[in-house]
Amino acid sequence: MAQAYDTDTANGQETRHTGPGDRLRGLGRRLRTDRGLWRRGIVLAAVAVLLALVMLLHAQIPNSVGNLGSLIETFLPWLGVFLPVLLILGVLRKSATALVALLVPTVVWFSGFGGLLTDKQGGGGDLTVATHNVNADNADPVGTARDVAASGAEILALEELTARAVPTYEKALRSAYPYHSVQGTVGLWSKYPLSATKPVNIRLGWTRAMRSTVATPKGDIAVYVAHMPSVRVKLNSGFTASQRDKSANALGEAISDEPLGKVVLLGDLNGTMNDRALTAITSQMRSTQGAAGSGFGFSWPASFPMARIDQILVKGVEPVSSWTLPETGSDHLPIAARVTL
């Protein structure tokens, strides 16, 4: 039998060297006998369980008060920042109860978002698409156009176009994209011919969405470009998003009625894939970032991205890779994806 420790003598005194087995047994005895380890940190344990419940049951949080459910769902991945905080507090508190309880939200978070931490990007693909909210107040539209065109996208969507800036973007992108159409404040630029281009009514009273058939070498695809109404977080009314929600439902209906089997949606949806308000859209389409991206792909705000509200969604098309492009003069980051038709 292996000894838990050995001894030697120095200056007539005996010294014991403990081994791993002895330390583990000591820890076991402490867990059994030190009741304080389990009594301390009850509040931390309760917070950990509450955090897990919020992540598990976020769809049940009502939107009737300030759209609280959608607000939490927009920033749902960020709840993970509380995990290391609770870990540190549990260690400092020397609470076995808090540390054991912390396992619950940790498992829940990694079950929901752990897959986004891996790189799922592949090679190949038939078509590169990109989208960018260029910001109506962009001070450098020429530079922005040059940067997004450098992505190599065959199909490019731009949102938040102003009447004054449209000629600048048209001129800057003319050589790279022989085909384009601008409908209201959104536009589509393409290396391939466009047809059946028209605005999409998203119940706003003005045009912020469009649809076009793109004749790619691999066949026709329906491309939608959309800019959902903005949302606001206000102290007196919470997360105000009712108009965004109505527009999302209208866009979902249009995509559901689309006769072509291959559909790509590009745009600023002012919501994440977790937001229940976009269910009319997300229930029938796949996110290229979720399916073939690396990381969370946050796109807004550009200075410190905290949420992916700019989306590339597909139906009848296979995502191969998805990524975020470098910052431009906008408050959003452009995003791109490569797909197989």
Side-chain angles (χ1 to χ4, degrees):
M1 177 182 294
Q3 290 182 319
Y5 60 87
D6 54 30
T7 62
D8 58 32
T9 57
N11 299 323
Q13 295 182 346
E14 184 180 78
T15 303
R16 294 190 175 188
H17 303 284
T18 59
D22 193 53
R23 287 194 291 268
L24 287 175
R25 283 190 290 273
L27 177 61
R29 284 193 298 271
R30 188 179 177 189
L31 289 174
R32 290 192 302 271
T33 60
D34 187 352
R35 295 182 178 180
L37 283 174
W38 299 101
R39 290 176 176 174
R40 290 190 296 266
I42 298 298
V43 173
L44 289 176
V47 172
V49 173
L50 178 61
L51 182 63
L53 290 174
V54 170
M55 290 189 287
L56 272 175
L57 305 176
H58 60 86
Q60 309 306 317
I61 299 174
N63 263 342
S64 55
V65 180
N67 280 288
L68 180 61
S70 285
L71 177 60
I72 290 175
E73 288 167 340
T74 297
F75 300 102
L76 198 59
W78 286 95
L79 293 181
V81 303
F82 292 106
L83 298 178
V85 174
L86 290 173
L87 174 62
I88 292 172
L89 292 176
V91 171
L92 293 177
R93 194 77 176 89
K94 296 181 180 179
S95 168
T97 300
L99 294 178
V100 171
L102 182 58
L103 292 174
V104 180
T106 301
V107 170
V108 173
W109 190 92
F110 276 95
S111 297
F113 302 107
L116 294 175
L117 301 178
T118 61
D119 187 350
K120 299 180 289 295
Q121 296 189 94
D126 303 317
L127 184 72
T128 300
V129 298
T131 181
H132 189 27
N133 179 326
V134 296
N135 188 0
D137 298 322
N138 194 321
D140 184 21
V142 174
T144 296
R146 181 181 62 248
D147 290 343
V148 291
S151 67
E154 287 93 359
I155 296 175
L156 171 65
L158 300 182
E159 303 87 48
E160 208 165 295
L161 296 168
T162 63
R164 184 182 63 227
V166 166
T168 302
Y169 286 105
E170 289 176 330
K171 181 178 179 181
L173 296 171
R174 186 175 298 139
S175 61
Y177 300 95
Y179 309 96
H180 89 280
S181 176
V182 175
Q183 305 285 329
T185 62
V186 297
L188 181 64
W189 277 259
S190 173
K191 295 182 182 294
Y192 307 123
L194 305 178
S195 63
T197 303
K198 61 182 181 181
V200 175
N201 181 9
I202 56 173
R203 301 169 190 164
L204 267 177
W206 69 95
T207 301
R208 284 176 57 150
M210 63 178 289
R211 179 257 182 229
S212 187
T213 298
V214 181
T216 78
K218 295 286 187 176
D220 291 351
I221 63 171
V223 177
Y224 286 76
V225 183
H227 183 192
M228 292 293 101
S230 298
V231 296
R232 298 286 185 269
V233 180
K234 300 179 181 179
L235 291 177
N236 61 340
S237 56
F239 190 58
T240 57
S242 58
Q243 186 57 63
R244 188 278 311 267
D245 299 351
K246 293 176 183 177
S247 294
N249 290 335
L251 180 60
E253 292 172 9
I255 293 173
S256 179
D257 294 337
E258 171 59 48
L260 292 181
K262 298 178 180 179
V263 185
V264 176
L265 170 60
L266 307 167
D268 173 6
L269 302 189
N270 269 310
T272 68
M273 292 297 291
N274 295 312
D275 192 339
R276 76 192 69 174
L278 301 183
T279 299
I281 301 170
T282 57
S283 63
Q284 57 180 319
M285 306 191 80
R286 298 174 67 194
S287 164
T288 59
Q289 182 67 25
S294 176
F296 291 95
F298 295 147
S299 63
W300 176 88
S303 57
F304 187 80
M306 297 184 65
R308 186 180 179 87
I309 62 175
D310 302 276
Q311 306 289 353
I312 299 177
L313 307 181
V314 297
K315 180 166 72 171
V317 173
E318 186 65 28
V320 173
S321 57
S322 187
W323 63 96
T324 302
L325 297 168
E327 186 176 357
T328 69
S330 172
D331 57 339
H332 291 244
L333 294 178
I335 61 174
R338 189 151 179 83
V339 299
T340 298
L341 302 179

